[in-house]
């Protein structure tokens, strides 16, 4: 489709009028973006409300399908896990001598274990107690990204020049980056998460042994992440690569029976020792609040992408991503 001016205009006059039209379209778009940013802020504030701690929290079931291998639940309040209970019935988890050969282990999540009994005080009475919860690093990143996006909106609306296309364009790019980061934290790309065998003392996703009662055995690893707005727990039973370690009498004669999984042939470093993964079980549960946040942030990110593309057109630039 093409447009001609009639009667024909001189080339320089035609160019001048085209520039004037683009300038008017640009100013109209910049003005409309101020109202659009106000609506965007309302949507992000709704996401913040969904992430705020509620009195009862969200109790999520973590159980394996069509088997009794894993049964349990966790309670999420805000960006933290404050309560949990896990029952494991895994053939590769070596039982204590006092238990039957195929017991059901039960672990209670108690992130703030009681201090050891002592006749002398170990800390001042004025020292506040430790936070009795386990933070979910991906939700912390999500909350930080949304707050940064809200700050960017306020700066765009109330500081700088709202009629300056380069300023608004740079602010929209920054806002888009924050929203993409928020979406990435909810999607949980495995390549962006720390490895499961990272030291629990420094890892943000490997649950520390002392957070449970009783404490987890050294041959058990629990890895809690968020993927596709769902809470995902990956349970691994490990075998140390020491001679005769973790081998029953049957295994020593006939060899260990290792379930088939993608990590069965790999060797990992765990707590300073080389191990193999004997069994790997993955359970997940959808979190309604996180699903709602993911849907809202995804829609808002798409909208900001449209704004950037429209502004690039009237500025005579290439659309983002081209």
């Amino acid at each position: 489709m093409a447009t001609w001016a009639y009667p024909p205009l001189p080339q320089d006059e035609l160019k001048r009028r085209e520039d004037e039209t683009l300038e008017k379209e640009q100013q109209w778009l910049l003005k409309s973006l101020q109202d659009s940013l106000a609506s965007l802020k309302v949507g992000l504030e709704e996401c913040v409300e969904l992430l705020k701690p509620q009195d009862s929290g969200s109790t999520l079931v973590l159980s394996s399908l069509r088997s009794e291998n894993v049964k349990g639940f966790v309670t999420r309040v805000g960006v933290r896990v404050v309560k949990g209970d896990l029952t494991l019935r895994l053939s590769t988890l070596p039982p204590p001598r006092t238990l039957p050969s195929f017991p059901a282990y039960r672990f209670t999540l108690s992130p703030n274990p009681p201090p050891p009994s002592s006749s002398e005080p170990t800390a001042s009475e004025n020292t506040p107690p430790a936070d009795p919860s386990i933070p979910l690093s991906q939700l912390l990143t999500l909350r930080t990204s949304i707050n940064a996006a809200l700050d960017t909106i306020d700066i765009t609306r109330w500081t700088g020049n709202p009629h300056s296309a380069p300023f608004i364009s740079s602010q929209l790019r920054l806002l888009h980056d924050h929203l993409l980061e928020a979406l990435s934290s909810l999607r949980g790309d495995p390549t962006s998460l720390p490895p499961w065998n990272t030291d629990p003392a420094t890892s943000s996703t490997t649950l520390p042994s002392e957070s449970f009662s009783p404490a987890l055995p050294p041959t058990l690893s629990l890895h809690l992440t968020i993927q596709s707005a769902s809470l995902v727990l990956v349970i691994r039973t490990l075998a140390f690569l020491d001679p005769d370690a973790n081998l029953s009498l049957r295994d020593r004669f006939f060899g260990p029976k290792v379930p088939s999984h993608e990590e069965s042939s790999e060797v990992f470093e765990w707590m300073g020792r080389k191990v193999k993964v004997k069994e790997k079980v993955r359970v997940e549960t959808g979190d309604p609040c996180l699903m709602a946040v993911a849907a809202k942030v995804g829609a808002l990110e798409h909208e900001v992408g449209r704004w950037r593309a429209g502004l690039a057109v009237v500025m005579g630039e290439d659309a983002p991503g081209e």
Side-chain angles (χ1 to χ4, degrees):
M1 180 177 179
T3 303
W4 289 271
Y6 185 83
L9 298 174
Q11 191 64 31
D12 56 346
E13 178 69 13
L14 183 61
K15 176 63 176 171
R16 185 182 65 81
R17 294 196 180 187
E18 286 178 353
D19 293 341
E20 289 178 354
T21 301
L22 278 177
E23 179 64 24
K24 291 179 180 179
E25 289 180 353
Q26 187 179 105
Q27 292 304 315
W28 172 84
L29 180 58
L30 292 175
K31 182 179 179 181
S32 64
L33 281 177
Q34 296 300 311
D35 296 332
S36 300
L37 286 171
S39 300
L40 182 73
K41 183 178 180 180
V42 173
L44 289 176
E45 287 174 343
E46 292 174 355
C47 295
V48 172
E49 287 297 322
L50 288 171
L51 291 175
K52 280 185 177 180
Q54 305 295 329
D55 292 337
S56 57
S58 300
T59 299
L60 308 170
V61 176
L62 284 172
S63 298
S64 53
L65 299 175
R66 299 182 296 275
S67 75
E68 297 291 328
N69 289 346
V70 183
K71 295 293 180 184
F73 71 90
V74 293
T75 300
R76 180 185 62 80
V77 176
V79 297
R80 297 174 178 271
V81 172
V82 300
K83 185 180 179 182
D85 190 273
L86 200 61
T87 300
L88 304 179
R89 188 181 293 274
L90 304 174
S91 59
T92 55
L93 192 61
R97 297 179 182 274
T98 57
L99 294 178
S101 59
F102 193 41
Y105 286 87
R106 182 177 180 182
F107 301 99
T108 301
L109 184 61
S110 53
N112 190 23
S117 58
S118 174
S119 57
E120 297 182 1
T122 58
S124 172
E125 294 181 358
N126 297 327
T127 303
D131 190 346
S133 58
I134 295 178
L136 297 172
S137 62
Q138 290 168 261
L139 293 189
L140 292 173
T141 302
L142 171 64
R143 187 176 63 182
T144 301
S145 299
I146 292 178
N147 288 334
L150 288 170
D151 292 341
T152 302
I153 292 174
D154 288 338
I155 292 172
T156 306
R157 296 183 65 204
W158 305 113
T159 65
N161 184 1
H163 303 293
S164 170
F167 170 72
I168 297 298
S169 177
S170 64
Q171 290 298 104
L172 289 183
R173 181 172 63 252
L174 181 60
L175 177 59
H176 200 209
D177 289 343
H178 289 318
L179 294 178
L180 287 174
E181 186 178 8
L183 275 179
S184 177
S185 64
L186 282 171
R187 290 169 179 166
D189 182 8
T191 59
S192 64
L193 298 174
W196 69 265
N197 56 327
T198 306
D199 186 354
T202 59
S203 174
S204 58
T205 54
T206 301
L207 300 182
S209 173
E210 60 272 13
S211 295
F212 292 86
S213 177
L216 301 179
T219 55
L220 183 63
S221 165
L222 302 183
H223 195 64
L224 186 64
T225 59
I226 294 171
Q227 298 180 28
S228 301
S230 298
L231 214 59
V232 177
L233 176 66
V234 179
I235 303 164
R236 293 175 175 87
T237 57
L238 311 174
F240 293 108
L241 297 185
D242 299 334
D244 297 336
N246 298 322
L247 293 182
S248 64
L249 183 61
R250 175 193 176 282
D251 291 340
R252 294 179 188 181
F253 277 104
F254 303 103
K257 182 180 179 181
V258 181
S260 174
H261 56 83
E262 71 276 10
E263 297 177 353
S264 58
S265 60
E266 299 183 46
V267 177
F268 299 93
E269 189 83 15
W270 172 253
M271 307 297 288
R273 300 171 67 180
K274 294 188 180 299
V275 297
K276 277 197 168 187
V277 179
K278 297 172 66 177
E279 187 173 1
K280 178 181 176 181
V281 180
R282 182 182 187 275
V283 293
E284 67 176 274
T285 179
D287 190 318
C289 287
L290 297 186
M291 290 179 180
V293 172
K296 288 178 178 291
V297 174
L300 297 176
E301 180 272 328
H302 178 73
E303 194 68 13
V304 173
R306 286 199 320 109
W307 299 346
R308 292 186 63 195
L311 186 57
V313 169
V314 297
M315 291 177 66
E317 300 176 352
D318 292 334
E322 292 185 358

